[in-house]
């Protein structure tokens, strides 16, 4: 049912019935509310679950059903922040300057939707809905020739949701009653309104003016359209979803955390199905967009965040936190590896307790070990920095050995400078390399050197005080101390 973008454009410019092979379908996403129940200074739809804003999940799902140009996000509270956060998706925005309820949100979208036949309405705070369910709702609406179709669900605890008042045995609905207005009898109804609807657009706007604010919140409820249409003898129906979990909203922090847990467990299940081993999945935090190759093993308490991509046959050991990074096949990350915006090629071994800051690139089979911090560094194939180092703003070639405690002094208090270490160099332990400086191919730097000048290829550089030895000095000192005591 998704219109190809070209068809949609053509239809828009030529709205005569003969050029409309299928109903023109738009999706409206209501995202203008404040989210008072969260007690937050951030708009509700920008709170993150599964590592991205709730609204971004809803938009991604909507895009599985119609192209971005047919999606209209109703924004209002902190409109600019919300727009900015999701503008990259290419969807349209409708401003609901004052937020006077879900019915009012659709009033604001009147002009934007005027060229469409059907609008599917989604809640910007209910991110678990699937494309399949949206399609079912839309198809059911069309097949029933209904004016309004709502997606309902049977919940064990329906508290807080609008209840569906059915009429007779068919799919017909008489009204939706909000929690605050429901009678004791109505509160017992477990079939709830999910906040997802399909409407016939012309009928919606012909009747939307009949909504009133005579309710406990003093708002225009979109849910009241059921009653409005019912009284106008228009067909209102409900289709019940098989998976009630899909419709859950996030009005409170507790609900939000529940959705986050569901999403992350679903993500783990997807990775497990793809051949990844995850021990104790409920201890891991894996964002929705993360990719992991088959036969990779993820130990407990691992976080894989953002756009991270991990290859096959890797082992990601406990307490590693990897953000927006690319990891090749057969890589081992030992416990406590921290990595952001970095790249590790096949077969490399990182950690324990390595901190790779943005712009770190580690070549095939290279090693970074305990307490090594890197930033904007290229480490070539097979090179090693195994212990206690800081490597920043450096280009390090292949087969280089960086001794324990080596430090690139990249910062002079004002500017950052580059260190270049060519292939096959051996840097002795506890050396400081004062940038800008270059160590030529195959050179040696003696341990504990402070290197301030370039070192030519194949040379040995010594930059430390010469050792002097005073024979018998210690013994003489001890004897002098003994004499002192006896006195
Ligand atoms: C709504 C339904 C309720 C349903 C529930 C399902 C109404 C009156 N009630 O209640 O029947 O069971 O969803 O989750 O619709 N919004 C706007 N503009 C506004 C007000 C809200 O865009 O003026 C947006 C919000 O940002 C939110 C969505 O609409 O994304 C739903 O609003 P919310 O206040 O969360 O409605 P519920 O109380 O959950
Ligand atoms: Ca809600």
């Amino acid at each position: 049912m998704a219109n190809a973008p070209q068809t949609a454009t053509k239809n828009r410019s030529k709205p005569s019935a003969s050029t409309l092979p299928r109903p023109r379908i738009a999706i409206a996403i209501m995202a203008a509310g404040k989210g008072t129940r969260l007690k937050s200074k951030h708009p509700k739809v920008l709170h993150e679950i599964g590592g991205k804003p709730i609204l971004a999940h809803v938009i991604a799902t909507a895009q599985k059903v119609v192209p971005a140009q047919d999606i209209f996000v109703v924004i209002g509270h902190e409109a600019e922040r919300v727009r900015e956060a999701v503008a990259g998706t290419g969807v349209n925005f409708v401003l609901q300057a004052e937020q006077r309820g879900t019915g009012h949100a659709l009033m604001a979208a009147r002009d934007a939707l005027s060229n469409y036949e059907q609008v599917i309405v989604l809640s910007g705070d209910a991110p678990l809905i699937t494309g399949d369910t949206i399609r079912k709702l839309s198809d059911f609406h069309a097949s029933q020739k209904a004016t309004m179709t709502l997606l309902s669900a049977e919940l064990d605890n329906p508290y807080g949701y609008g209840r569906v008042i059915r009429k007779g045995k068919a799919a017909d609905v008489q009204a939706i009653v909000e929690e605050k207005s429901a009678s004791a009898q109505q509160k017992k109804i477990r079939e709830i309104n999910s906040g997802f609807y399909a409407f016939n657009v012309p009928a919606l706007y012909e009747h939307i003016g009949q909504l009133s604010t005579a309710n406990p919140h003093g708002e225009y409820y979109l849910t009241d359209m059921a009653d409005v249409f019912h009284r106008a003898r228009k067909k209102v129906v409900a289709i019940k979803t098989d998976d009630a979990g899909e419709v859950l909203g996030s009005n409170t922090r507790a609900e939000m955390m529940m959705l986050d847990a569901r999403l992350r467990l679903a993500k783990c299940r997807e990775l497990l199905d793809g051949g990844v081993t995850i021990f104790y999945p409920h201890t891991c935090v894996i964002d929705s967009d993360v990719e992991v190759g088959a036969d990779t093993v993820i130990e407990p308490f691992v976080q894989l965040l953002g756009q991270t991509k991990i290859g096959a046959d890797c082992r990601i050991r406990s307490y590693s936190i990897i953000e927006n990074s690319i990891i090749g096949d057969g890589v081992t990350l030992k416990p406590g590896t921290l990595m952001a915006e970095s790249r590790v090629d096949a077969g490399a071994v990182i950690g324990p307790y390595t901190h790779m800051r943005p712009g770190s690139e580690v070549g095939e089979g290279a090693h970074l070990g305990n307490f090594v911090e890197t930033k904007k560094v290229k480490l070539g194939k097979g090179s090693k920095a195994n212990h206690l180092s800081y490597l920043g703003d450096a280009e390090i070639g292949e087969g280089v050995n960086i001794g324990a405690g080596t430090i690139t002094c990249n910062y002079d208090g004002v500017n950052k400078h580059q260190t270049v270490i060519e292939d096959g160099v051996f840097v002795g332990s506890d050396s400081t390399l004062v940038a800008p400086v270059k160590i030529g191919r195959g050179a040696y730097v003696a341990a504990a050197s402070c290197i301030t000048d370039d070192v030519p290829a194949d040379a040995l550089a010594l930059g430390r005080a010469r050792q002097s030895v005073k024979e018998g000095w210690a013994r003489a000192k001890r004897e002098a101390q003994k004499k002192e005591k006896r006195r």
Side-chain angles (χ1 to χ4, degrees):
M1 68 179 232
N3 288 324
Q6 309 90 298
T7 325
T9 320
K10 200 167 79 193
N11 285 348
R12 192 171 291 169
S13 54
K14 251 196 202 174
S16 86
S18 63
T19 58
L20 292 173
R22 289 188 204 156
R24 294 263 298 122
I25 297 174
I27 291 184
I29 302 174
M30 300 183 293
K34 181 170 190 282
T36 313
R37 289 162 278 186
L38 291 180
K39 302 186 174 69
S40 173
K41 57 182 168 300
H42 309 295
K44 168 160 68 177
V45 295
L46 292 191
H47 278 257
E48 290 190 356
I49 69 163
K52 63 182 181 189
I54 295 176
L55 178 59
H57 289 279
V58 181
I59 292 176
T61 306
Q63 283 186 287
K64 290 181 184 163
V65 182
V66 300
Q69 67 189 61
D70 294 327
I71 298 173
F72 298 84
V73 181
V74 182
I75 52 175
H77 177 71
E78 294 261 25
E80 278 323 299
R81 274 186 70 193
V82 176
R83 185 201 298 265
E84 226 169 79
V86 296
T89 57
V91 297
N92 306 286
F93 296 93
V94 168
L95 186 67
Q96 182 196 11
E98 262 185 289
Q99 294 85 55
R100 302 182 63 194
T102 47
H104 188 247
L106 266 285
M107 291 177 193
R110 182 192 285 260
D111 288 347
L113 299 177
S114 62
N115 280 326
Y116 294 89
E117 277 179 53
Q118 189 194 108
V119 60
I120 303 166
V121 178
L122 310 180
S123 259
D125 70 343
L128 303 189
I129 191 78
T130 62
D132 276 350
T133 302
I134 295 174
R135 248 177 246 117
K136 268 187 207 156
L137 167 67
S138 169
D139 292 347
F140 188 73
H141 177 77
S143 72
Q144 292 281 309
K145 299 195 169 51
T147 306
M148 171 179 183
T149 301
L150 61 103
L151 182 71
S152 71
E154 196 93 20
L155 293 189
D156 290 338
N157 175 14
Y159 176 81
Y161 289 91
R163 309 296 205 284
V164 179
I165 313 294
R166 293 269 190 170
K167 186 186 123 194
K169 283 205 188 85
D172 294 40
V173 169
Q174 190 174 326
I176 300 167
V177 182
E178 291 302 298
E179 175 79 34
K180 281 211 168 151
S181 312
S183 67
Q185 203 56 32
Q186 288 168 333
K187 280 183 183 163
K188 287 188 189 146
I189 298 172
R190 286 175 40 224
E191 186 179 15
I192 60 102
N193 166 38
S194 68
F196 299 97
Y197 319 85
F199 287 99
N200 172 285
V201 173
L204 174 64
Y205 289 110
E206 191 186 319
H207 290 83
I208 202 166
Q210 292 168 42
L211 288 181
S212 89
T213 55
N215 55 55
H217 283 115
E219 291 185 344
Y220 294 105
Y221 287 167
L222 187 58
T223 47
D224 284 347
M225 286 310 298
D227 178 56
V228 167
F229 283 137
H230 180 247
R231 282 190 286 112
R233 299 185 188 288
K234 303 270 182 195
K235 192 168 185 179
V236 181
V237 296
I239 176 174
K240 204 188 286 181
T241 167
D242 307 327
D243 180 3
E246 271 188 36
V247 307
L248 297 175
S250 45
N251 300 304
T252 62
R253 301 264 177 176
E255 284 176 352
M256 209 169 267
M257 291 309 99
M258 205 169 70
L259 298 193
D260 183 73
R262 267 175 188 269
L263 211 64
R264 292 192 189 281
L265 277 183
K267 179 68 192 185
C268 284
R269 217 166 294 130
E270 171 201 314
L271 293 177
L272 293 168
D273 287 346
V276 179
T277 295
I278 307 175
F279 292 110
Y280 294 95
H282 52 284
T283 66
C284 294
V285 177
I286 303 180
D287 283 355
S288 309
D289 296 341
V290 167
E291 293 171 23
V292 184
D295 286 324
T296 284
V297 176
I298 299 173
E299 294 188 0
F301 299 101
V302 163
Q303 298 193 29
L304 305 177
L305 308 175
Q307 306 295 313
T308 292
K309 285 190 177 56
I310 294 181
D313 302 309
C314 295
R315 187 158 192 117
I316 316 297
R317 304 211 51 197
S318 294
Y319 311 113
S320 292
I321 303 179
I322 314 302
E323 206 174 337
N324 296 319
S325 294
I326 312 281
I327 293 173
D329 295 339
V331 167
T332 299
L333 304 185
K334 293 184 182 176
T337 297
L338 307 181
M339 192 187 303
E341 271 109 65
S342 290
R343 206 195 74 217
V344 176
D345 291 345
V349 179
I350 312 291
Y353 312 111
T354 300
H355 185 187
M356 291 176 62
R357 293 164 50 205
S360 300
E361 293 176 21
V362 171
E364 223 177 285
H367 289 195
L368 289 178
N370 322 249
F371 306 106
V372 172
E373 176 184 347
T374 64
K375 186 217 71 172
K376 283 196 191 153
V377 157
K378 268 194 190 138
L379 187 72
K381 206 167 156 177
S383 290
K384 292 177 185 170
N386 273 331
H387 327 271
L388 302 158
S389 278
Y390 172 64
L391 303 171
D393 300 303
E395 199 159 310
I396 301 170
E398 297 182 2
V400 169
N401 192 331
I402 304 285
T406 297
I407 289 171
T408 54
C409 308
N410 59 330
Y411 187 47
D412 62 12
V414 182
N415 295 307
K416 302 277 170 69
H417 302 281
Q418 197 74 11
T419 299
V420 177
I421 303 175
E422 292 186 342
D423 294 350
V425 163
F426 181 96
V427 179
S429 296
D430 194 28
S431 293
T432 51
L433 311 174
V434 182
V437 73
K438 179 175 156 184
I439 319 235
R441 176 188 273 270
Y444 266 63
V445 171
S449 288
C450 176
I451 300 296
T452 52
D453 299 322
D454 288 355
V455 178
D458 297 321
L460 167 69
L462 285 134
R464 66 186 187 213
R466 180 176 289 278
Q467 179 174 337
S468 63
V469 173
K470 299 184 176 172
E471 293 276 3
W473 182 93
R475 196 189 321 115
K477 181 179 169 70
R478 278 193 300 273
E479 280 166 4
Q481 279 169 338
K482 264 188 219 161
K483 253 188 219 161
E484 187 79 6
K485 262 191 192 164
R486 262 184 254 125
R487 260 206 271 141

